Amino acid sequence: MIFKLVGDGRPYPEHGLSNREWAQIPPRQVRLDTLITTKAVLDLHSLLAKDSTFYGDLFPHVVQWRGELYLEDGLHRALRSALHQRSVLHARVLELPSDT
């Protein structure tokens, strides 16, 4: 098993962070098997493209909410890590309050 769960959608409240605000969050290691995806479908062109990490943030975006870690952006990076037999990846983790 690569991920804890394959989800389809974002169950947590909208956070409204811009790319610039995400960039202020320092990356940390996250185990792949603790992540719940927010996308059930992946475009293979994105996964296999040599420059897939050229545009945007180098680190996936994860939202921690109610004790769960949701992979909001960077599914192709996470799958590439898994294909390279890695069980962890570096991601930016936004912690949302559980009472929202």
Side-chain angles (χ1 to χ4, degrees):
M1 173 169 48
I2 296 173
F3 300 112
K4 180 176 182 177
L5 185 68
V6 175
D8 192 16
R10 300 174 183 178
Y12 49 87
E14 180 62 41
H15 52 71
L17 255 63
S18 67
N19 286 336
R20 177 170 280 178
E21 291 167 318
W22 272 107
Q24 301 303 310
I25 300 172
R28 70 180 205 207
Q29 285 190 345
V30 177
R31 292 187 50 85
L32 292 174
D33 62 2
T34 64
L35 295 173
I36 299 171
T37 69
T38 59
K39 296 176 186 171
V41 177
L42 173 71
D43 177 16
L44 281 176
H45 291 289
S46 295
L47 178 65
L48 301 174
K50 290 182 180 181
D51 65 349
S52 67
T53 58
F54 184 76
Y55 302 102
D57 199 341
L58 291 176
F59 300 102
H61 297 171
V62 173
V63 174
Q64 183 175 353
W65 184 63
R66 295 188 174 168
E68 300 290 357
L69 295 171
Y70 295 93
L71 181 61
E72 179 175 288
D73 182 50
L75 179 58
H76 60 289
R77 290 178 182 91
L79 281 174
R80 276 188 174 189
S81 291
L83 290 172
H84 288 296
Q85 305 298 314
R86 296 185 202 123
S87 59
V88 298
L89 77 154
H90 285 84
R92 301 183 192 280
V93 180
L94 172 65
E95 297 179 24
L96 289 180
S98 294
D99 58 355
T100 58

